[in-house]
Amino acid sequence: MNKILLRDITLDGIRKDILIAEGKISKITPHQAGPCPVQDGTETVDCSGKVAVPGFVNMHTHAAMTLMRGVGEDMVLRDWLDHIWAIEKHLDEPFIYWGTLVATLEMIKTGTTSFNDMYWFSPEAQKAASKMGLRNLTSFTFLDNFDREQASHQRDVCLEMFSQVPSWDPRSTFSVSIHSVYTVSEETILWVTEFARKHGLRIHIHVSETRKEVEDCKAAHGGLSPVGYLDELGVLGSDVIAAHCEILSDEDIEILGRRKVNCVHNINSNAKLASGYKFKWKELSDAGANVCLGTDGAASSNNLDMLEAMKTAAFFQKAWREDPSALPLKALLDLATVNGAKAMGANTGRIEEGFDADIQIIDTDSTFFLSPGPFLANFIYSAHSDCISSLISGGKFVMRDRKVPAEREILDGGRAQLKIIENYIKH
Amino acid sequence: MNKILLRDITLDGIRKDILIAEGKISKITPHQAGPCPVQDGTETVDCSGKVAVPGFVNMHTHAAMTLMRGVGEDMVLRDWLDHIWAIEKHLDEPFIYWGTLVATLEMIKTGTTSFNDMYWFSPEAQKAASKMGLRNLTSFTFLDNFDREQASHQRDVCLEMFSQVPSWDPRSTFSVSIHSVYTVSEETILWVTEFARKHGLRIHIHVSETRKEVEDCKAAHGGLSPVGYLDELGVLGSDVIAAHCEILSDEDIEILGRRKVNCVHNINSNAKLASGYKFKWKELSDAGANVCLGTDGAASSNNLDMLEAMKTAAFFQKAWREDPSALPLKALLDLATVNGAKAMGANTGRIEEGFDADIQIIDTDSTFFLSPGPFLANFIYSAHSDCISSLISGGKFVMRDRKVPAEREILDGGRAQLKIIENYIKH
């Protein structure tokens, strides 16, 4: 793998030279003007006027659903699900492969270098993500609808898939998903948890997304909330990635904090589907939980843009807390980068020597950055993802000057899949 | 003025040819394939695969403040104002001219063709907006701080400015602003209203932006809210553009509706400064008010992107009303286009024969539009303003393929102004 030298790039307000070798940030030095002092075989990239930001870590998505966005707009959740399920019945491996390619193309164009996926036909998803050069935590998803036969079948498929993991790309990590407490039986939840702990796999689960989910759980499990119920089953721990965590009691927050659960905020999806918006990032964080950010699937959110998700998250926090200082810039960036890295167990999310080289290169030559304010404010609150001119993932350029290899092929392949599912769309 | 033929452009899902002449949409016909049937002197533009959308109408901003964004981030309103006022004391004509150029450059890049401005040194603002080819409603702003001398001085300056209006560009319209009920005396409010009505000028005013404004007004005016107080003074009418209208009682809504006031929602600013977010667009609209959308100044919002404002507006409406069908796509587009046109009294906001030619040309060749859903959902909820490839304002291209004439000069000129105000920034 070639070395890359990012010359004269601004990092935390200071002009630096960043040397990338073997996929890692190998050396950061103050910028040296004058002739380039590098050895043979190192590619030198002039980054003057540009700013380095860690690649985003999207901690909850359903990547291939990107091809289903816009289905069932302006509808209540129940009708929206009918539209989605009508299509999902017909999904197959090519759909997942091309859908994940389209998703990763969108992630690259919006600065994401790592993502946590929950969907079907996972080997196809990891194949697509690996082809595009993104780190991914890709799960087998359990959703047995309380049916013993389905549960048994899914365990078999999961074990078979797990046996193939050694052949996966090194940037792909296998995990297991429990879809939710309202779609997965207790027996399966216990089996998955034991299986995950035995093999050191992360557990990905939707938790307390809607009020209905919480109320139904309480009715079914002697007054226990989804968090209380999962805790009683021994599921919760620092290896659990709990998506949404939108409807929480004080007791839920205490449990999630004590168990050091990774709680993923998905504000665009929660707001758009009207599931909730008073996410308790501060309370969870203070209690000991690791709070991260995700986009959810594009069918509900409606894109995979983490920069936009950060902005929306801050707007909602400031608005409902009636406090313009709520969720300040530095905390916001942490949610979208280093906290996600921690949840994934990945050595990324910071631009420091020894970390994996996952770097956004930001072009500040636009009105959005013409301001006396701090870079982070301009980046998060004013600019859009098209300010991300280039992206390095695992030490390799996956986008240069807004160009992603194979973009044309991916858009055309995605469009061909859309033609196939057209017949299954409810109108 | 040359004629322009937009060939094979999609309008409401159908492929059309749109002929633009004398600044207007002169003819819309089904797309004719084959050799181009136009006369000499008509510029033909191939728009195949692209979609036409009306140019946005930004109904409330303080354009030149664009150069102050990012000042006082994550601060409560009181501290933020201290930071802004510390700079505003030193503003001069070149700052307004260059600040408005930067603002209009940003508006063009984000699809806006008309805007309603409230700031200082208005002749400079209209000069900049005209240079860039945007329709503008530009006001003299009254803010007398209840000081009779200031009031008298401002009346003189306003009259002098009004006498110069005949020399303004035809796309610039003069109006008067009453800053707010908490900064302008009753005597001045009455004078401005009479002056505006006498000369057929629109009145632009901040109304009920914060809870404090409403409470203070009630204390000062025998229990009357800002809306009640302004109505009692005879100010409210269909020529009034009331920005914010965030904190309203049922009675306020009834009055604003009955008086057919133009109420401008500025969600990004309101959310970020934590002023409020439960904007009653539906109730106001049902009562008879004309509801529009604005970005507010970039110092609070933090940009002038109407596409983003639409998205944020929809997210908040769906979230706080707990109804994902709240503020549907078509209504959202009307808020940002034709409703604003009505408020300005401008013949724009629709792509129909006879309307002014203010047209966004949208490039749909990206992941954001790769979807089985409706174009409007992809445009508003998934894409960003960089999908706006070209923009026609008043029948002329003001942006082609993302390139705006004089962009380099404007960015450099704006940067020079930033250097000057640097000394006045509080740290």
mmCIF file with all atom_site columns, all heavy atoms in Angstrom, chain A residues 61 105 145 158 179 186 208-209 250 339 360 377 383 425:
data_model
loop_
_atom_site.group_PDB
_atom_site.id
_atom_site.type_symbol
_atom_site.label_atom_id
_atom_site.label_alt_id
_atom_site.label_comp_id
_atom_site.label_asym_id
_atom_site.label_entity_id
_atom_site.label_seq_id
_atom_site.pdbx_PDB_ins_code
_atom_site.Cartn_x
_atom_site.Cartn_y
_atom_site.Cartn_z
_atom_site.occupancy
_atom_site.B_iso_or_equiv
_atom_site.pdbx_formal_charge
_atom_site.auth_seq_id
_atom_site.auth_comp_id
_atom_site.auth_asym_id
_atom_site.auth_atom_id
_atom_site.pdbx_PDB_model_num
ATOM 1   N N   . THR A 1 61  ? -27.892 2.018   10.478 1.00 0.00 ? 61  THR A N   1
ATOM 2   C CA  . THR A 1 61  ? -28.556 2.185   9.189  1.00 0.00 ? 61  THR A CA  1
ATOM 3   C C   . THR A 1 61  ? -29.002 0.821   8.657  1.00 0.00 ? 61  THR A C   1
ATOM 4   O O   . THR A 1 61  ? -28.672 -0.221  9.241  1.00 0.00 ? 61  THR A O   1
ATOM 5   C CB  . THR A 1 61  ? -27.647 2.905   8.163  1.00 0.00 ? 61  THR A CB  1
ATOM 6   O OG1 . THR A 1 61  ? -28.429 3.250   7.012  1.00 0.00 ? 61  THR A OG1 1
ATOM 7   C CG2 . THR A 1 61  ? -26.476 2.039   7.727  1.00 0.00 ? 61  THR A CG2 1
ATOM 8   N N   . LEU A 1 105 ? -21.984 4.552   -1.796 1.00 0.00 ? 105 LEU A N   1
ATOM 9   C CA  . LEU A 1 105 ? -21.649 5.696   -2.654 1.00 0.00 ? 105 LEU A CA  1
ATOM 10  C C   . LEU A 1 105 ? -22.141 6.987   -1.984 1.00 0.00 ? 105 LEU A C   1
ATOM 11  O O   . LEU A 1 105 ? -21.425 7.984   -1.900 1.00 0.00 ? 105 LEU A O   1
ATOM 12  C CB  . LEU A 1 105 ? -22.292 5.517   -4.036 1.00 0.00 ? 105 LEU A CB  1
ATOM 13  C CG  . LEU A 1 105 ? -22.233 6.713   -4.982 1.00 0.00 ? 105 LEU A CG  1
ATOM 14  C CD1 . LEU A 1 105 ? -20.791 7.148   -5.241 1.00 0.00 ? 105 LEU A CD1 1
ATOM 15  C CD2 . LEU A 1 105 ? -22.929 6.379   -6.314 1.00 0.00 ? 105 LEU A CD2 1
ATOM 16  N N   . ASN A 1 145 ? -40.651 -13.245 14.598 1.00 0.00 ? 145 ASN A N   1
ATOM 17  C CA  . ASN A 1 145 ? -42.098 -13.053 14.779 1.00 0.00 ? 145 ASN A CA  1
ATOM 18  C C   . ASN A 1 145 ? -42.700 -14.083 15.739 1.00 0.00 ? 145 ASN A C   1
ATOM 19  O O   . ASN A 1 145 ? -43.833 -14.518 15.562 1.00 0.00 ? 145 ASN A O   1
ATOM 20  C CB  . ASN A 1 145 ? -42.814 -13.125 13.426 1.00 0.00 ? 145 ASN A CB  1
ATOM 21  C CG  . ASN A 1 145 ? -42.719 -11.799 12.686 1.00 0.00 ? 145 ASN A CG  1
ATOM 22  O OD1 . ASN A 1 145 ? -42.859 -10.742 13.283 1.00 0.00 ? 145 ASN A OD1 1
ATOM 23  N ND2 . ASN A 1 145 ? -42.448 -11.870 11.383 1.00 0.00 ? 145 ASN A ND2 1
ATOM 24  N N   . CYS A 1 158 ? -27.727 -18.204 10.444 1.00 0.00 ? 158 CYS A N   1
ATOM 25  C CA  . CYS A 1 158 ? -26.735 -17.388 11.155 1.00 0.00 ? 158 CYS A CA  1
ATOM 26  C C   . CYS A 1 158 ? -25.437 -18.173 11.361 1.00 0.00 ? 158 CYS A C   1
ATOM 27  O O   . CYS A 1 158 ? -24.334 -17.657 11.122 1.00 0.00 ? 158 CYS A O   1
ATOM 28  C CB  . CYS A 1 158 ? -27.309 -16.942 12.493 1.00 0.00 ? 158 CYS A CB  1
ATOM 29  S SG  . CYS A 1 158 ? -26.144 -16.024 13.520 1.00 0.00 ? 158 CYS A SG  1
ATOM 30  N N   . HIS A 1 179 ? -33.877 -7.816  16.014 1.00 0.00 ? 179 HIS A N   1
ATOM 31  C CA  . HIS A 1 179 ? -34.606 -6.696  15.424 1.00 0.00 ? 179 HIS A CA  1
ATOM 32  C C   . HIS A 1 179 ? -35.231 -5.803  16.493 1.00 0.00 ? 179 HIS A C   1
ATOM 33  O O   . HIS A 1 179 ? -35.043 -4.584  16.480 1.00 0.00 ? 179 HIS A O   1
ATOM 34  C CB  . HIS A 1 179 ? -35.669 -7.186  14.432 1.00 0.00 ? 179 HIS A CB  1
ATOM 35  C CG  . HIS A 1 179 ? -36.453 -6.059  13.841 1.00 0.00 ? 179 HIS A CG  1
ATOM 36  N ND1 . HIS A 1 179 ? -37.619 -5.599  14.402 1.00 0.00 ? 179 HIS A ND1 1
ATOM 37  C CD2 . HIS A 1 179 ? -36.203 -5.272  12.769 1.00 0.00 ? 179 HIS A CD2 1
ATOM 38  C CE1 . HIS A 1 179 ? -38.067 -4.585  13.678 1.00 0.00 ? 179 HIS A CE1 1
ATOM 39  N NE2 . HIS A 1 179 ? -37.229 -4.366  12.687 1.00 0.00 ? 179 HIS A NE2 1
ATOM 40  N N   . GLU A 1 186 ? -38.354 -14.355 23.248 1.00 0.00 ? 186 GLU A N   1
ATOM 41  C CA  . GLU A 1 186 ? -37.412 -14.371 24.370 1.00 0.00 ? 186 GLU A CA  1
ATOM 42  C C   . GLU A 1 186 ? -36.360 -15.455 24.169 1.00 0.00 ? 186 GLU A C   1
ATOM 43  O O   . GLU A 1 186 ? -35.169 -15.248 24.418 1.00 0.00 ? 186 GLU A O   1
ATOM 44  C CB  . GLU A 1 186 ? -38.196 -14.632 25.657 1.00 0.00 ? 186 GLU A CB  1
ATOM 45  C CG  . GLU A 1 186 ? -37.420 -14.348 26.902 1.00 0.00 ? 186 GLU A CG  1
ATOM 46  C CD  . GLU A 1 186 ? -38.352 -14.171 28.103 1.00 0.00 ? 186 GLU A CD  1
ATOM 47  O OE1 . GLU A 1 186 ? -39.229 -13.285 28.049 1.00 0.00 ? 186 GLU A OE1 1
ATOM 48  O OE2 . GLU A 1 186 ? -38.215 -14.937 29.064 1.00 0.00 ? 186 GLU A OE2 1
ATOM 49  N N   . SER A 1 208 ? -36.834 0.924   22.178 1.00 0.00 ? 208 SER A N   1
ATOM 50  C CA  . SER A 1 208 ? -37.686 2.044   22.601 1.00 0.00 ? 208 SER A CA  1
ATOM 51  C C   . SER A 1 208 ? -37.733 3.161   21.552 1.00 0.00 ? 208 SER A C   1
ATOM 52  O O   . SER A 1 208 ? -37.494 4.322   21.849 1.00 0.00 ? 208 SER A O   1
ATOM 53  C CB  . SER A 1 208 ? -37.198 2.593   23.947 1.00 0.00 ? 208 SER A CB  1
ATOM 54  O OG  . SER A 1 208 ? -37.263 1.587   24.930 1.00 0.00 ? 208 SER A OG  1
ATOM 55  N N   . GLU A 1 209 ? -38.098 2.756   20.333 1.00 0.00 ? 209 GLU A N   1
ATOM 56  C CA  . GLU A 1 209 ? -38.181 3.738   19.241 1.00 0.00 ? 209 GLU A CA  1
ATOM 57  C C   . GLU A 1 209 ? -39.469 4.550   19.323 1.00 0.00 ? 209 GLU A C   1
ATOM 58  O O   . GLU A 1 209 ? -39.489 5.738   19.030 1.00 0.00 ? 209 GLU A O   1
ATOM 59  C CB  . GLU A 1 209 ? -38.105 3.007   17.891 1.00 0.00 ? 209 GLU A CB  1
ATOM 60  C CG  . GLU A 1 209 ? -38.206 3.942   16.682 1.00 0.00 ? 209 GLU A CG  1
ATOM 61  C CD  . GLU A 1 209 ? -37.991 3.225   15.350 1.00 0.00 ? 209 GLU A CD  1
ATOM 62  O OE1 . GLU A 1 209 ? -37.785 1.989   15.364 1.00 0.00 ? 209 GLU A OE1 1
ATOM 63  O OE2 . GLU A 1 209 ? -38.047 3.891   14.302 1.00 0.00 ? 209 GLU A OE2 1
ATOM 64  N N   . ASP A 1 250 ? -36.524 7.650   33.435 1.00 0.00 ? 250 ASP A N   1
ATOM 65  C CA  . ASP A 1 250 ? -35.290 7.908   34.185 1.00 0.00 ? 250 ASP A CA  1
ATOM 66  C C   . ASP A 1 250 ? -34.602 6.598   34.557 1.00 0.00 ? 250 ASP A C   1
ATOM 67  O O   . ASP A 1 250 ? -33.381 6.495   34.560 1.00 0.00 ? 250 ASP A O   1
ATOM 68  C CB  . ASP A 1 250 ? -35.600 8.706   35.461 1.00 0.00 ? 250 ASP A CB  1
ATOM 69  C CG  . ASP A 1 250 ? -36.016 10.132  35.132 1.00 0.00 ? 250 ASP A CG  1
ATOM 70  O OD1 . ASP A 1 250 ? -35.827 10.558  33.967 1.00 0.00 ? 250 ASP A OD1 1
ATOM 71  O OD2 . ASP A 1 250 ? -36.536 10.823  36.032 1.00 0.00 ? 250 ASP A OD2 1
ATOM 72  N N   . ASN A 1 339 ? -17.222 8.623   19.263 1.00 0.00 ? 339 ASN A N   1
ATOM 73  C CA  . ASN A 1 339 ? -18.139 7.782   20.045 1.00 0.00 ? 339 ASN A CA  1
ATOM 74  C C   . ASN A 1 339 ? -18.605 6.575   19.236 1.00 0.00 ? 339 ASN A C   1
ATOM 75  O O   . ASN A 1 339 ? -18.741 5.471   19.763 1.00 0.00 ? 339 ASN A O   1
ATOM 76  C CB  . ASN A 1 339 ? -19.356 8.594   20.513 1.00 0.00 ? 339 ASN A CB  1
ATOM 77  C CG  . ASN A 1 339 ? -18.985 9.674   21.522 1.00 0.00 ? 339 ASN A CG  1
ATOM 78  O OD1 . ASN A 1 339 ? -17.816 9.972   21.716 1.00 0.00 ? 339 ASN A OD1 1
ATOM 79  N ND2 . ASN A 1 339 ? -19.991 10.263  22.159 1.00 0.00 ? 339 ASN A ND2 1
ATOM 80  N N   . GLN A 1 360 ? -11.743 13.059  6.263  1.00 0.00 ? 360 GLN A N   1
ATOM 81  C CA  . GLN A 1 360 ? -12.438 13.916  5.305  1.00 0.00 ? 360 GLN A CA  1
ATOM 82  C C   . GLN A 1 360 ? -11.555 15.127  5.000  1.00 0.00 ? 360 GLN A C   1
ATOM 83  O O   . GLN A 1 360 ? -11.003 15.724  5.926  1.00 0.00 ? 360 GLN A O   1
ATOM 84  C CB  . GLN A 1 360 ? -13.749 14.440  5.876  1.00 0.00 ? 360 GLN A CB  1
ATOM 85  C CG  . GLN A 1 360 ? -14.699 13.386  6.384  1.00 0.00 ? 360 GLN A CG  1
ATOM 86  C CD  . GLN A 1 360 ? -16.016 14.007  6.862  1.00 0.00 ? 360 GLN A CD  1
ATOM 87  O OE1 . GLN A 1 360 ? -16.648 14.766  6.131  1.00 0.00 ? 360 GLN A OE1 1
ATOM 88  N NE2 . GLN A 1 360 ? -16.420 13.682  8.077  1.00 0.00 ? 360 GLN A NE2 1
ATOM 89  N N   . ALA A 1 377 ? -18.506 25.379  13.325 1.00 0.00 ? 377 ALA A N   1
ATOM 90  C CA  . ALA A 1 377 ? -19.837 25.977  13.156 1.00 0.00 ? 377 ALA A CA  1
ATOM 91  C C   . ALA A 1 377 ? -20.170 26.090  11.671 1.00 0.00 ? 377 ALA A C   1
ATOM 92  O O   . ALA A 1 377 ? -21.286 25.766  11.242 1.00 0.00 ? 377 ALA A O   1
ATOM 93  C CB  . ALA A 1 377 ? -19.892 27.352  13.816 1.00 0.00 ? 377 ALA A CB  1
ATOM 94  N N   . ALA A 1 383 ? -22.567 24.649  5.969  1.00 0.00 ? 383 ALA A N   1
ATOM 95  C CA  . ALA A 1 383 ? -22.202 23.965  4.733  1.00 0.00 ? 383 ALA A CA  1
ATOM 96  C C   . ALA A 1 383 ? -23.047 22.713  4.508  1.00 0.00 ? 383 ALA A C   1
ATOM 97  O O   . ALA A 1 383 ? -23.832 22.308  5.363  1.00 0.00 ? 383 ALA A O   1
ATOM 98  C CB  . ALA A 1 383 ? -20.728 23.596  4.776  1.00 0.00 ? 383 ALA A CB  1
ATOM 99  N N   . ILE A 1 425 ? -44.546 -1.910  -5.790 1.00 0.00 ? 425 ILE A N   1
ATOM 100 C CA  . ILE A 1 425 ? -44.846 -0.687  -5.054 1.00 0.00 ? 425 ILE A CA  1
ATOM 101 C C   . ILE A 1 425 ? -46.348 -0.471  -4.991 1.00 0.00 ? 425 ILE A C   1
ATOM 102 O O   . ILE A 1 425 ? -47.040 -0.535  -6.005 1.00 0.00 ? 425 ILE A O   1
ATOM 103 C CB  . ILE A 1 425 ? -44.152 0.522   -5.701 1.00 0.00 ? 425 ILE A CB  1
ATOM 104 C CG1 . ILE A 1 425 ? -42.644 0.349   -5.579 1.00 0.00 ? 425 ILE A CG1 1
ATOM 105 C CG2 . ILE A 1 425 ? -44.600 1.825   -5.059 1.00 0.00 ? 425 ILE A CG2 1
ATOM 106 C CD1 . ILE A 1 425 ? -41.854 1.387   -6.313 1.00 0.00 ? 425 ILE A CD1 1
#
